[in-house]
Amino acid sequence: MATSSPSNAAAIWALGVTQIIGYGTLYYSFSILAPGIAAEFGVAIEWIYGCISLALLAGGLISPYAGGLADRHGAGRVMAAGSVGAAAALIVCALAGNAFAFLAGMILVELASAFVLYSTAFAFLAQSTGPKAQRSITYLTLIAGFASTIFWPLTSAMLGAMDWHQVYLVFAGLNLLVCLPLHLWLSRFSRLAAARMPQPAAIGGVENPVDQGLVFGLVVLGFSLAGFISAAILFHIVPMLGSLGLGNAGVLVASLLGPAQVASRLINMTLGKELPATVLSIISASMMPLALTILALTAPSIAGGIGFAVIFGMGTGLFSIVSGTLPLALFGKAGFGRRLGWISLGRLALSAIAPFALSVALGAVGPKPSIWVLAVAGLGCVAVFGEIWRRCRQPQRVAVV
């Protein structure tokens, strides 16, 4: 990985490890654990997905506050505190004796997520790597793209050796024993980097305050639609593929999402170095409805499922880059953490209903009609980012990587 100094490279790798563990334990594992949790508590699977919907909403509501803390006190410190909170929240889930106690644990999990996942990680890179922040964001998303590939099969394997309570305890240990020390080191690194970093001139592609407010609203809407589609699919992908007739191959197909995310970032790094963030947002948004259309038309074909997973994974992989680089390119570094927090609020508020809504839809009308509805939402997302590009297509001074 080519960075300006070994310290930057070490920081990005350390942050990548914490993002893999964070997303794996706080996000991706849920779809594997949910059926067993519902069975033990004697509630419908929709009830369990309703828990994650409420939890995502809670995480969205606290995101602007978490972003503000990152701006004021440093993202590294915020992430260190978040690691402790994540471990405590996972322990609450592990000790839950009924569905309502589990709901409380999931809300705590999503509250902690606001302090440790991408939004705060991107703020950390903006604070510690300065003008190289956009390149650093791309490298980070490249590493963290392995989270689903690692934790979907890992969680499935762990369930073969222990129950879901014990799985959550192991996950708590990972956050406390691995992520916390790394975040503490990153906090120190960020302070040293900030002390030696020259203050750069303001960057950004939207200078008129009126236009800035309108474009920011469109950015929030676009990421909200993308988040809705992504959350709906990622929380249901394994059981949904099974209901489409892919059977046990569903886990293998779903595991391709991670490599596809990584592949899309590698392609972007080699072929898209001068590609504006606004254009990349349109490309990534277009991949979601394309992938969903392929799945709806080809299921239960395993080849079609693989095509869906690869294209959808590439789209979400690019979106991970865009979620950090687009706001930075359009609005600059000042208040970056809080701005990402408000974007997260909009995204998670809509994403909050996605797992529950798709769970209900899958039971009511079946998987294929549900997939078509998501594809239509994806076309709306493409239209929003197209409008952002139209309003901001003047030459930008900031490249994606």
Side-chain angles (χ1 to χ4, degrees):
M1 181 182 299
T3 55
S4 61
S5 72
S7 295
N8 281 355
I12 293 170
W13 277 105
L15 197 58
V17 170
T18 70
Q19 293 303 289
I20 289 174
I21 294 174
Y23 273 100
T25 61
L26 304 175
Y27 193 83
Y28 287 119
S29 63
F30 183 83
S31 63
I32 305 296
L33 300 175
I37 295 169
E40 178 173 326
F41 292 149
V43 298
I45 189 68
E46 291 83 2
W47 201 99
I48 298 298
Y49 279 104
C51 290
I52 194 63
S53 294
L54 290 174
L56 286 170
L57 179 58
L61 291 173
I62 204 173
S63 291
Y65 174 71
L69 287 179
D71 287 334
R72 293 192 300 272
H73 303 293
R77 292 180 179 179
V78 170
M79 297 181 80
S83 295
V84 178
L90 290 166
I91 290 173
V92 171
C93 289
L95 299 179
N98 57 65
F100 290 101
F102 180 77
L103 170 59
M106 286 308 303
I107 289 174
L108 292 175
V109 163
E110 291 305 320
L111 291 176
S113 296
F115 294 86
V116 296
L117 297 184
Y118 268 161
S119 291
T120 312
F122 292 161
F124 170 86
L125 292 175
Q127 293 168 1
S128 59
T129 62
K132 302 185 184 302
Q134 297 205 38
R135 184 185 298 272
S136 299
I137 287 171
T138 303
Y139 289 143
L140 174 63
T141 58
L142 179 64
I143 299 168
F146 287 102
S148 60
T149 301
I150 293 172
F151 271 87
W152 273 330
L154 176 62
T155 305
S156 296
M158 290 173 68
L159 279 178
M162 61 187 74
D163 63 24
W164 65 266
H165 298 276
Q166 295 167 321
V167 171
Y168 271 129
L169 287 175
V170 173
F171 287 170
L174 288 174
N175 279 272
L176 195 60
L177 300 178
V178 180
C179 294
L180 176 59
L182 288 175
H183 285 151
L184 289 172
W185 177 79
L186 288 168
S187 177
R188 180 175 179 275
F189 168 84
S190 182
R191 292 194 299 272
L192 294 175
R196 67 174 184 262
M197 189 188 306
Q199 293 300 316
I203 59 175
V206 186
E207 298 180 359
N208 185 290
V210 176
D211 291 343
Q212 192 175 84
L214 178 58
V215 170
F216 184 69
L218 289 172
V219 169
V220 173
L221 176 60
F223 283 126
S224 297
L225 288 171
F228 177 87
I229 298 166
S230 179
I233 293 297
L234 292 178
F235 276 108
H236 286 280
I237 185 169
V238 174
M240 184 184 71
L241 291 175
S243 67
L244 286 169
L246 276 72
N248 293 331
V251 174
L252 176 62
V253 169
S255 297
L256 295 175
L257 283 174
Q261 290 174 338
V262 173
S264 69
R265 293 158 188 165
L266 286 172
I267 292 171
N268 178 60
M269 288 168 60
T270 56
L271 302 179
K273 291 183 178 181
E274 302 301 323
L275 196 64
T278 49
V279 175
L280 188 63
S281 68
I282 297 174
I283 295 172
S284 56
S286 299
M287 288 183 173
M288 291 189 176
L290 175 60
L292 291 165
T293 299
I294 290 173
L295 181 62
L297 292 177
T298 62
S301 165
I302 294 178
I306 291 173
F308 153 77
V310 169
I311 296 174
F312 194 87
M314 292 181 72
T316 57
L318 293 177
F319 251 116
S320 296
I321 299 173
V322 172
S323 63
T325 59
L326 183 63
L328 189 60
L330 294 178
F331 309 112
K333 179 181 173 182
F336 184 57
R338 187 168 181 82
R339 187 173 287 113
L340 287 182
W342 282 109
I343 292 173
S344 293
L345 171 56
R347 176 175 56 84
L348 291 175
L350 194 56
S351 298
I353 66 173
F356 178 73
L358 184 57
S359 180
V360 172
L362 289 171
V365 299
K368 286 193 175 182
S370 302
I371 291 170
W372 283 119
V373 171
L374 290 175
V376 172
L379 291 176
C381 182
V382 175
V384 170
F385 283 108
E387 178 64 12
I388 294 171
W389 170 82
R390 188 187 70 82
R391 291 178 176 274
C392 305
R393 64 179 181 270
Q394 67 267 24
Q396 294 185 30
R397 291 169 285 173
V398 183
V400 173
V401 295

